[in-house]
Amino acid sequence: DQDLPGVLVSGLEGPHGICEDHIGDLQKHFTLITLQEFLENNTRFGPKVQAVYIWGGKPAVTQELLQSLPSLKIIASAGAGLDHLDLKLIASCGVKVANTPQAVSSPTADMGMALLLAAARRVVEGHRLAIAPDTENFSTNWMGQEVTGATLGIIGMGSIGYKIAQRARAFEMKILYHNRKRRKLEEEEAVGATYCESLDDLLQRSDFVLLAVSLTPQTQRLIGKRELNLMKPTAILVNIGRGLLVDQDALVQALQTGVIKGAALDVTHPEPLPRDHPLLKLENVTLTPHAGSATHQARRQMMENLVASILASLHGLPIPNEVRLNWDNSVA
Ligand SMILES: O=CC(=O)O
């Protein structure tokens, strides 16, 4: 339908495209213009585009793209993280941004716990052992680390970090957290979490260190060689944030030399890792393919939230999940 607002999407097919079953729903509201169509004829399609629909971090919003979309009102980005967007540049073009933090927080927290448990109890290694053609190494003395009663240090106590704390409490874990801002006392008490103003203190005391912080210039390589050295040799690092939160070379070295016990990573840098990357060869590493929000329910809710934000912006209504910036361009 020519009258439907034009929305630029990255692609409609392939493993990185929009979920196939969402396309029909999107087409009820919008004329979808793929990046490829746009690139082939940007003078025709550029003026039609009123929104950019970002799925899996794509399409990339460059200055050049912004300049060729004169009718653009909003960039609606699936997920919680905003590190793929230059928010200051976008704001300077008078374009709004919305994301979908509520849709992803529970499934991503679940993934954090899944990785923590998998690494602690060596689920992936155990699976390999259990299905090995040769039963010689089969053993019920397949030891891992106890989760119950262990200390969990959560770095980043936003909505995902907080949901992890709620889940970890049910595992009777002792919970420490480090965050830009301390949470309210009643919020801390509700999950039994103790604030650590010092990151070093959290690293030294935790049996599991879990990264649930957004990637910003301040948090890039937050965990490097020095921080890994502060961790217990029995500690496990879980990352459900972004690969660049960790100095990956330092992590590989720490895992190879027993500086820490193991790592469970939903995110790496880059994604996917080159097939000869040392992280793919280590027994004490558990990897998932950036799948924190990969449930049917969450992905559908993300799509519905993006549609609602785009429609609100086109109708001049308050935009659900609008991302606002502070004076220093940090996310409010
Ligand atoms: O990576 C996923 C997200 O930012 O929600």
Side-chain angles (χ1 to χ4, degrees), residues 111-112 114-120 209 236-240 251 255 262-267 284-288:
M111 187 60 117
L115 284 171
L116 185 155
L117 291 163
V209 172
I236 288 172
L237 179 71
V238 182
N239 189 1
I240 52 162
L251 176 63
L255 291 164
L265 312 170
D266 187 44
V267 285
N284 52 350
V285 174
T286 305
L287 294 165
T288 48

Side-chain angles (χ1 to χ4, degrees), residues 42-242:
N42 62 2
T43 45
R44 172 166 168 224
F45 290 114
K48 292 192 200 299
V49 172
Q50 299 191 52
V52 178
Y53 186 93
I54 309 238
W55 193 262
K58 291 189 182 70
V61 179
T62 58
Q63 184 153 23
E64 198 190 349
L65 182 75
L66 287 166
Q67 276 165 354
S68 50
L69 302 177
S71 316
L72 183 63
K73 305 257 177 337
I74 183 166
I75 291 171
S77 178
L82 294 161
D83 48 288
H84 54 291
L85 296 173
D86 184 341
L87 297 174
K88 191 176 152 193
L89 171 71
I90 296 165
S92 75
C93 299
V95 172
K96 309 275 194 206
V97 173
N99 62 345
T100 70
Q102 300 91 347
V104 304
S105 58
S106 292
T108 306
D110 291 345
M111 187 60 117
M113 288 310 286
L115 284 171
L116 185 155
L117 291 163
R121 302 303 302 274
R122 303 169 66 190
V123 170
V124 178
E125 277 177 90
H127 172 80
R128 278 193 219 114
L129 188 72
I131 66 167
D134 180 353
T135 55
E136 208 170 283
N137 294 320
F138 189 94
S139 163
T140 54
N141 293 331
W142 181 251
M143 312 291 197
Q145 323 253 105
E146 181 94 9
V147 172
T148 304
T151 299
L152 169 64
I154 302 173
I155 302 175
M157 198 56 139
S159 53
I160 296 172
Y162 196 75
K163 282 185 186 281
I164 288 175
Q166 289 174 323
R167 285 153 176 70
R169 186 176 172 77
F171 285 86
E172 299 166 47
M173 300 186 88
K174 298 182 192 79
I175 302 164
L176 308 175
Y177 78 98
H178 177 78
N179 201 39
R180 259 185 317 175
K181 254 180 24 201
R182 187 171 174 171
R183 284 261 182 176
K184 292 195 193 93
L185 200 59
E186 55 268 31
E187 291 171 335
E188 289 181 355
E189 279 171 358
V191 292
T194 304
Y195 182 58
C196 276
E197 195 178 346
S198 146
L199 177 62
D200 290 2
D201 185 34
L202 175 143
L203 294 169
Q204 282 166 330
R205 288 163 62 192
S206 299
D207 300 305
F208 298 89
V209 172
L210 190 147
L211 289 164
V213 70
S214 10
L215 177 66
T216 65
Q218 290 75 40
T219 60
Q220 187 149 345
R221 296 205 168 76
L222 188 65
I223 302 298
K225 186 171 181 198
R226 192 190 77 85
E227 290 71 27
L228 291 160
N229 277 312
L230 289 173
M231 288 169 65
K232 297 181 186 183
T234 50
I236 288 172
L237 179 71
V238 182
N239 189 1
I240 52 162
R242 287 290 180 271

